[in-house]
Amino acid sequence: MSKNENINKPVLLIDSDCKFCSKSLQFIIKHGGEDKYNFYSLNSDEGRKFLRKYDFPDDYSKSIVLIEKEKAYIKSDAALRI
C-alpha cells in the first residue's frame, strides 16, 4: 500500500522481486508517481485481490499491471499509459 493511498488513483502492481520492476518503480516515484498512483506488490494480499478482480492468476508476475478506470493494462500498454 502506498502511503498516499487514494481510491481515485490508478493502481500500479509491481513484481517486487524483479530488479527491473523495482528500478522502474523508483523512476516513477522520482517523477511524481507517488502522487498519481497507489502501488502494491503483485505478491501482496492486496495485489492478489486486484489480480483476481481482473481475471489474472494469483501467481501472475510477467509484467507490471496498471489498473486505471476499471481496466487493467499490462506490458507496453501499461508502460505507455504511465
Side-chain angles (χ1 to χ4, degrees), residues 25-41:
L25 176 60
Q26 290 173 9
F27 178 86
I28 293 165
I29 289 171
K30 182 179 177 181
H31 291 89
E34 191 167 22
D35 295 330
K36 297 177 184 174
Y37 301 99
N38 290 320
F39 301 97
Y40 300 97
S41 168

Side-chain angles (χ1 to χ4, degrees), residues 22-61:
S22 295
K23 290 288 186 184
S24 297
L25 176 60
Q26 290 173 9
F27 178 86
I28 293 165
I29 289 171
K30 182 179 177 181
H31 291 89
E34 191 167 22
D35 295 330
K36 297 177 184 174
Y37 301 99
N38 290 320
F39 301 97
Y40 300 97
S41 168
L42 284 166
N43 303 319
S44 69
D45 290 339
E46 194 66 30
R48 285 192 288 276
K49 286 179 191 176
F50 280 108
L51 290 174
R52 282 190 293 275
K53 181 177 178 179
Y54 291 92
D55 297 323
F56 289 91
D58 279 355
D59 62 348
Y60 183 82
S61 64

